[in-house]
């Protein structure tokens, strides 16, 4: 009887793994808002139940073969301690991941206090950019104006580039940003912001808002010859075959959605992404 129970538990575990893999395949954003053990994920529940059932059956078989009382006592105590240790590790890991999801994002602290003029200038840039790109909430309007994705469609955040605007050498034109930033939701791209790009690597971005509007460059991005961004070598990985690393011109993000890291931060916070997807 017990061997069958153990085998049934193994089957439940494997089924849970398959179910969880399927859920992540149809919604890659689950990783942003789902902890190591998520009660709302039926795959996780099956995995936990299967492991628990199989472990219980195995422990019962071992316990039944122990002839002496002290052996059974030691085994029962050790098993209980192991279960408690696993539970504590899972709880710690889930709590740590939840804190990471809530607070991740490059939030660069200003190097100095902004002047009143810089505050007004940064607020104006945010307001004008938000109004200038509002029409691109409809991706069809962006395509009609010449934008197209420059990053793989599988990416959670997609960067759309407008070649004609990039060649026009405008600087901080709120109605004609060189790039748009979309979050790829289940129902399609969701506008998250714009990105201004200087015409050449030789130029620094204007310090319009001082420390509030920090420009940045990338030195670890991998591009195909046609300009498509295909990866990064910044984590110890080589660039994909056929691509190479290029130093980008100075860039400035303007996020038109709430971003805990700030409206001009280099990255969109995972918490902001989750909020966008939940409201989609």
């Amino acid at each position: 009887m017990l061997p069958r129970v153990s085998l049934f538990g193994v089957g439940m575990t494997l089924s849970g793994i398959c179910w969880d893999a399927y859920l992540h395949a149809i919604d890659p954003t689950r990783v942003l808002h789902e902890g190591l053990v998520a009660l709302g994920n039926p795959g996780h529940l099956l995995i936990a139940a299967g492991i628990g059932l199989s472990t219980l059956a195995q422990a019962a078989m071992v316990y039944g073969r122990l002839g002496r009382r002290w052996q059974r006592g030691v085994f029962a105590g050790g098993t209980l301690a192991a279960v408690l240790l696993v539970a504590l590790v899972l709880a710690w890991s889930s709590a740590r991941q939840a804190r990471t999801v809530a607070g991740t994002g490059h939030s660069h602290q200003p190097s100095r206090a902004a002047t009143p003029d810089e505050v007004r200038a940064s607020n104006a840039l945010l307001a004008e950019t938000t109004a200038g790109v509002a029409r691109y909430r409809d991706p069809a309007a962006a395509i009609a104006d010449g934008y197209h994705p420059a990053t793989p469609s599988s990416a959670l955040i997609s960067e759309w580039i407008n070649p004609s605007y990039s060649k026009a050498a405008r600087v901080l034109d709120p109605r004609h940003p060189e790039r748009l930033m979309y979050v790829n939701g289940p129902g399609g791209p969701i506008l998250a912001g714009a990105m201004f790009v200087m015409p050449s690597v030789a130029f620094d971005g204007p310090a319009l808002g001082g420390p509030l509007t920090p420009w940045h460059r990338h030195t670890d991005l991998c591009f195909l010859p046609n300009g498509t961004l295909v990866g990064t070598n910044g984590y110890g990985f080589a660039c994909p075959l056929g691509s190479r690393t290029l130093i980008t011109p100075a860039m400035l993000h303007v996020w038109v959605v709430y971003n805990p890291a700030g409206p001009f931060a280099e990255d969109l916070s995972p918490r902001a992404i989750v909020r966008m997807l939940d409201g989609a």
Side-chain angles (χ1 to χ4, degrees):
M1 178 64 180
L2 288 176
R4 293 181 180 179
V5 173
S6 178
L7 186 60
F8 183 73
V10 172
M12 290 178 64
T13 302
L14 295 176
S15 299
I17 292 173
C18 292
W19 198 340
D20 184 54
Y22 170 74
L23 292 176
H24 280 272
I26 63 175
D27 182 11
T29 64
R30 293 185 73 94
V31 69
L32 290 175
H33 53 82
E34 185 176 81
L36 182 63
V37 179
L39 296 180
N41 184 330
H44 287 193
L45 293 178
L46 264 180
I47 293 171
I51 292 176
L53 188 62
S54 182
T55 301
L56 182 62
Q58 293 287 339
M61 285 189 289
V62 173
Y63 184 85
R65 293 172 183 172
L66 297 176
R68 298 184 179 182
R69 179 177 297 179
W70 70 267
Q71 291 177 325
R72 292 185 175 185
V74 171
F75 178 78
T79 301
L80 180 60
V83 170
L84 290 176
L85 178 62
V86 171
L88 288 173
V89 170
L90 289 176
W92 170 82
S93 178
S94 297
R96 185 176 179 85
Q97 182 172 349
R99 288 195 300 270
T100 301
V101 168
T104 299
H106 292 174
S107 179
H108 301 285
Q109 296 298 322
S111 57
R112 60 174 176 80
T115 66
D117 286 343
E118 290 170 339
V119 172
R120 283 191 291 269
S122 63
N123 288 340
L125 177 62
L126 176 60
E128 292 170 7
T129 303
T130 301
V133 302
R135 62 189 184 279
Y136 298 133
R137 296 185 187 280
D138 180 2
I143 294 173
D145 280 359
Y147 288 97
H148 65 82
T151 50
S153 59
S154 59
L156 180 57
I157 298 181
S158 182
E159 190 174 303
W160 291 36
I161 186 171
N162 190 311
S164 62
Y165 293 171
S166 298
K167 295 176 182 177
R170 300 185 183 96
V171 177
L172 288 180
D173 184 344
R175 292 188 58 83
H176 303 92
E178 288 75 22
R179 303 183 188 185
L180 299 173
M181 307 300 294
Y182 286 93
V183 170
N184 290 320
I190 308 170
L191 181 66
M195 183 163 66
F196 297 103
V197 183
M198 292 301 292
S200 166
V201 295
F203 300 104
D204 292 327
L208 182 71
L212 300 178
T213 53
W215 293 75
H216 66 278
R217 288 182 171 88
H218 291 284
T219 60
D220 59 351
L221 300 182
C222 306
F223 295 89
L224 293 175
N226 65 0
T228 300
L229 174 63
V230 292
T232 175
N233 65 358
Y235 299 96
F237 299 103
C239 281
L241 185 64
S243 66
R244 60 174 180 153
T245 303
L246 296 175
I247 299 176
T248 67
M251 303 175 171
L252 174 65
H253 288 288
V254 180
W255 303 106
V256 299
V257 296
Y258 170 70
N259 184 14
F264 305 103
E266 183 176 339
D267 297 316
L268 184 62
S269 166
R271 187 167 58 177
I273 297 174
V274 171
R275 181 173 176 172
M276 292 177 65
L277 295 174
D278 286 344

